[in-house]
Amino acid sequence: MIPKEQADFFFKSKSDVVLLELFVIAHSSFSKDYRIVRNDSNGVIVTLPNGAIAQFDYLPVQIVDSGFSNDLDRSFTVEIGDAKIIATKEIKNALSAGNMLEQPTFTYYLYRDDDLTKPLIPELTLYCENFRFTDTCTFDAKTKPFEAYRDWET
């Protein structure tokens, strides 16, 4: 069943209301958390679910939603333009801190551009892996495998 807020957006909102895609990439060794909005070139200031006010800056980004797999794992492929220098610097920070076993987190939000006080869906936190660098920075954001949460001791 679709939550009421999502149904209202898709079926009742005005045609000029935009669904904003925002995300945060964070790691304990990064110099800061990167708050990015994909589809508002002016950037946005929103109220996060915890009540904090946060600014998200625009970067050219392509997000491909890979959906759910048979085992309910969720994944996106994210390609960020103009981020190669930043990403390289932050990975060097993590390497020098000896902290590469910790995966960066990718927290995804959807907001209506006419209501920046609450996300349209609950925040979704995934884990970044398979970084690839060309003219852009591309990575996969995925849920941890179910087995990572199991208690194998009986």
Side-chain angles (χ1 to χ4, degrees), residues 2-15 17 19 112 114-115 118 120:
I2 297 175
K4 181 183 180 335
E5 294 84 7
Q6 290 179 31
D8 287 350
F9 173 78
F10 289 109
F11 298 116
K12 295 181 180 178
S13 66
K14 295 180 181 177
S15 62
V17 176
L19 185 63
R112 299 168 56 117
D114 64 342
D115 182 3
K118 62 181 184 294
L120 191 59

Side-chain angles (χ1 to χ4, degrees), residues 51-81:
I53 306 297
Q55 178 171 335
F56 286 73
D57 299 315
Y58 171 78
L59 276 178
V61 175
Q62 179 180 8
I63 300 174
V64 177
D65 186 348
S66 303
F68 291 94
S69 64
N70 290 340
D71 55 6
L72 299 180
D73 287 341
R74 185 74 193 263
S75 66
F76 295 98
T77 298
V78 181
E79 182 177 3
I80 306 173

Side-chain angles (χ1 to χ4, degrees), residues 27 98-103 144:
H27 187 278
N99 203 4
M100 282 306 292
L101 293 179
E102 174 191 339
Q103 291 176 282
K144 284 198 182 260

Side-chain angles (χ1 to χ4, degrees), residues 5 46-49 109-122:
E5 294 84 7
V46 302
T47 303
L48 296 174
Y109 304 93
L110 290 177
Y111 281 82
R112 299 168 56 117
D113 75 340
D114 64 342
D115 182 3
L116 300 175
T117 62
K118 62 181 184 294
L120 191 59
I121 62 169

Side-chain angles (χ1 to χ4, degrees), residues 15-91:
S15 62
D16 62 344
V17 176
V18 175
L19 185 63
L20 297 173
E21 287 185 279
L22 300 88
F23 60 92
V24 178
I25 299 176
H27 187 278
S28 63
S29 296
F30 286 1
S31 61
K32 67 176 189 172
D33 293 347
Y34 290 91
R35 291 177 165 77
I36 299 168
V37 57
R38 183 191 70 79
N39 53 336
D40 188 326
S41 61
N42 295 317
V44 294
I45 297 174
V46 302
T47 303
L48 296 174
N50 65 6
I53 306 297
Q55 178 171 335
F56 286 73
D57 299 315
Y58 171 78
L59 276 178
V61 175
Q62 179 180 8
I63 300 174
V64 177
D65 186 348
S66 303
F68 291 94
S69 64
N70 290 340
D71 55 6
L72 299 180
D73 287 341
R74 185 74 193 263
S75 66
F76 295 98
T77 298
V78 181
E79 182 177 3
I80 306 173
D82 298 339
K84 182 178 178 181
I85 293 170
I86 295 170
T88 303
K89 178 186 92 168
E90 296 297 6
I91 288 175

